[in-house]
Amino acid sequence: MSDEASVHPKSRGAARRAQRRGPTMEDVAEVAGVSRGTVSRVLNGAHHVSAESLAAVEAAMQQTGYVVNQSARSLVTRRADAVAFVLSEPHERLFEDPVFDVLLRSCTQILGEQDCSLVLMLASTAQERARVMRFVRGGHVDGVLLVSTHHGDPLAAELDEASVPVVVCGRPPNPALRMPYVTADDRGGARLITEHLLQQGRSCIATVAGPQDTAGGAERLAGYRDVLGERTPEHGIARARDFSIAAGHQAMTQLLTDCPQLDAVFVASDLLAVGALEALADAGHRVPEDVLVGGFDDSVIAAATHPPLTTVRQPLDQVAAELVEVLMQLIAGRPASSRVLPTTLVRRRSA
């Protein structure tokens, strides 16, 4: 027998009336055959409610079309059931960089499974940072996922002062804040790719480093230096202004002028590597015959370059999952520690 057929005709009539005029908690209680207080307890976590009553209330909500008034619920629970995903980058970077796409998509999905919404906010300017702080201080979110922070950016300190739960993706710009973070092992991954290039018999391994005001840029350059040390070629380091294709092209062009003897290059992100490959082709250098190229991220673009890019894989879906897990622990008032996830080398034809 279907659920509809098992419902008393009087309840079906009440459900239809509620749908026509907009259902209330009283309608749900009437259709379910329980008190309004029982409905309220179900909506606020089903504490001290029998399994039969819980099932009746859930069925009644479906029959009447009742949707929880989140604003009203927040007044009771003091929870917004929303999290801010704050990206400290210009608008165009959000759409260009596939790393942000994976993190945003994964965090949204994982939070949705916990009946929690994600609010995307950009914070690359003073005006945008002020907007973020007004939103957070207004109680519209329970916590913040802080992504792609830069040294000197005051936002992390302002969030810390606001006493809102915050988890940083990557190491925080100011270690003194002691914010928990989740990151891939940038330094270890850079060592992996640099050692790989060295093992291919190349003698002059240069690097296109990422911006040094970011944790990823600084850590990956440090990993490159860990391996080469005194063997680092003179003028073999070019620092890109950001993690973009255009910046990679510009930095690689400069490297070819400053360090013309290079025969391999570690590029600090896949996007930068796309630009570097274009610059090498423009200058008549063949990859991998003349110059080996290694990237970092293993984003979707890595397998689509010409030739396909040898790179370091960040476990981005796992990073997203653990970002959410750590933030939810903080929101619940439980202690949480930082996490560093291992990276792996992915070999393709560019190196």
Side-chain angles (χ1 to χ4, degrees), residues 279-296:
L280 286 165
D282 291 346
H285 293 283
R286 298 169 303 162
V287 176
E289 293 84 356
D290 302 325
V291 180
L292 300 181
V293 177
F296 200 108

Side-chain angles (χ1 to χ4, degrees), residues 34-224:
V34 299
S35 69
R36 186 183 187 281
T38 297
V39 175
S40 178
R41 286 194 291 276
V42 170
L43 297 179
N44 290 297
H47 301 297
H48 310 297
V49 178
S50 68
E52 294 80 4
S53 294
L54 175 61
V57 170
E58 289 176 343
M61 289 174 65
Q62 184 174 4
Q63 292 160 28
T64 60
Y66 180 81
V67 178
V68 176
N69 184 319
Q70 189 60 49
S71 297
R73 183 177 179 180
S74 294
L75 291 174
V76 176
T77 64
R78 299 187 182 277
R79 288 276 298 273
D81 288 332
V83 165
F85 184 102
V86 178
L87 180 63
S88 298
E89 295 290 346
H91 298 69
E92 60 270 17
R93 291 293 319 286
L94 171 63
F95 300 103
E96 181 184 19
D97 196 327
V99 170
F100 298 145
D101 177 69
V102 173
L103 290 174
L104 182 60
R105 171 174 45 80
S106 295
C107 288
T108 300
Q109 179 180 346
I110 296 163
L111 286 164
E113 292 168 356
Q114 302 181 43
D115 206 21
C116 186
S117 300
L118 182 144
V119 181
L120 171 63
M121 304 192 78
L122 301 181
S124 64
T125 67
Q127 183 179 17
E128 289 173 345
R129 288 192 292 270
R131 187 182 304 123
V132 168
M133 290 310 305
R134 287 196 300 270
F135 193 78
V136 170
R137 289 190 177 112
H140 300 295
V141 292
D142 300 315
V144 174
L145 298 171
L146 189 56
V147 181
S148 190
T149 54
H150 295 257
H151 295 295
D153 184 344
L155 183 60
E158 291 175 8
L159 289 168
D160 187 57
E161 291 174 2
S163 298
V164 61
V166 178
V167 180
V168 182
C169 182
R171 297 183 188 274
N174 183 357
L177 296 176
R178 302 196 178 191
M179 288 179 168
Y181 60 86
V182 177
T183 184
D185 185 2
D186 290 303
R187 190 165 183 164
R191 287 196 293 262
L192 277 177
I193 190 80
T194 307
E195 287 168 352
H196 172 71
L197 295 174
L198 197 60
Q199 289 164 3
Q200 305 313 300
R202 299 302 168 107
S203 60
C204 186
I205 303 171
T207 185
V208 172
Q212 295 302 289
D213 65 343
T214 66
E219 290 285 306
R220 294 170 198 178
L221 178 56
Y224 163 84

